[in-house]
Amino acid sequence: MVASTPGRRVLTVAVAAAVLAGGSATAASAANGYHPVAIYSMNESSGARTMIDSSGNGLHGAIGNEVITDVGVNGATGYRFTRLQPDRPPAHPRHLVTVGDTSALDPGSRNYAVTIRLRTTYHFGNIIQKGQAAASGGNFKLQIPNGIVQCLFRGANGTIIVQATRRINDGWWHVVRCERTGSGVSLAVDGRTVARRGGWTGPIANRWPLSIGGKTDCDQRAVGCDYYAGDLDWVEIEAG
């Protein structure tokens, strides 16, 4: 797979190093044919309700008022998503950060990568997604069941899911990168590729918003919202 080549290995390490340093991985990705779709540094001040996209593409997000901004932990500043009891009504839509639907955020048939930096001590929740399991047009998401990060892409040709080999809900910051190409899906944690699976999902394009922190269409009864609990201080989406 592309992700296993020496060039991709160097890029993955560069991505992790750049994000850990608080900078964008755009330069490293551009050298490999990727361009930024959205860059969210999550450095907004306390009480902010707009998540700024610094890529220049204007894909700003709405921060729900249950999301705590300007939280500093272990040298980083980001957003905090407090713990909500799984599957206990009512739904909490204000627990989410959302970016309105646009085709720019759909993987389509492109190479596509999502990089996040997270810190948690919990063991469940959907971290970021566009679309849900039954969404027409497919979906993608990063989630952390049992403290183990999983990456899923579902397209017209099928679903590919990969997961890490160890838990990362240890209270330390971790950089996670999920990438889909024409030859498969790979997952890297802290600069090291930990999982890959070959295949082609087919195109993915839906009419859903990008959601950070859980599902947008849920009621905690028939459909659980899978709310994330923990901190985030970086999200970058790229395509090639």
Side-chain angles (χ1 to χ4, degrees):
M1 287 184 60
V2 174
S4 64
T5 65
R8 172 55 60 197
R9 172 66 173 170
V10 171
L11 174 61
T12 302
V13 173
V15 166
V19 176
L20 285 167
S24 172
T26 301
S29 298
N32 205 63
Y34 279 78
H35 65 270
V37 174
I39 300 172
Y40 303 114
S41 300
M42 297 182 162
N43 291 330
E44 286 76 29
S45 61
S46 178
R49 291 294 162 250
T50 300
M51 179 177 68
I52 301 300
D53 169 23
S54 60
S55 73
N57 294 326
L59 302 181
H60 308 306
I63 305 170
N65 62 15
E66 292 182 10
V67 179
I68 305 171
T69 57
D70 197 27
V71 175
V73 181
N74 297 342
T77 300
Y79 299 176
R80 174 157 295 168
F81 299 79
T82 56
R83 185 183 185 278
L84 296 172
Q85 187 67 25
D87 300 324
R88 176 179 292 176
H92 286 253
R94 291 172 293 183
H95 183 83
L96 308 177
V97 181
T98 56
V99 182
D101 173 48
T102 169
S103 61
L105 290 169
D106 289 323
S109 296
R110 305 173 294 175
N111 290 349
Y112 192 88
V114 180
T115 304
I116 61 174
R117 189 168 183 240
L118 65 87
R119 188 198 76 90
T120 187
T121 57
Y122 299 104
H123 60 273
F124 59 86
N126 290 5
I127 305 166
I128 185 170
Q129 62 194 89
K130 191 173 189 293
Q132 293 176 200
S136 175
N139 68 298
F140 72 84
K141 68 176 175 178
L142 278 164
Q143 58 187 0
I144 190 166
N146 300 312
I148 297 175
V149 172
Q150 293 180 341
C151 167
L152 177 149
F153 283 89
R154 179 179 63 88
N157 290 5
T159 300
I160 299 178
I161 184 170
V162 293
Q163 71 175 39
T165 55
R166 64 180 181 87
R167 293 178 174 84
I168 60 170
N169 58 333
D170 54 11
W172 294 95
W173 288 105
H174 295 280
V175 176
V176 176
R177 179 179 173 87
C178 178
E179 180 177 9
R180 188 213 55 178
T181 69
S183 58
V185 173
S186 64
L187 178 67
V189 178
D190 297 333
R192 183 173 67 89
T193 300
V194 297
R196 61 172 66 89
R197 180 168 294 176
W200 168 233
T201 67
I204 300 172
N206 61 52
R207 296 183 178 180
W208 292 61
L210 181 75
S211 176
I212 300 172
K215 297 175 183 174
T216 56
D217 186 13
C218 58
D219 58 10
Q220 293 284 67
R221 294 182 174 88
V223 179
C225 296
D226 295 328
Y227 292 124
Y228 171 68
D231 303 329
L232 292 174
D233 89 328
W234 185 273
V235 172
E236 182 161 356
I237 297 173
E238 307 156 90

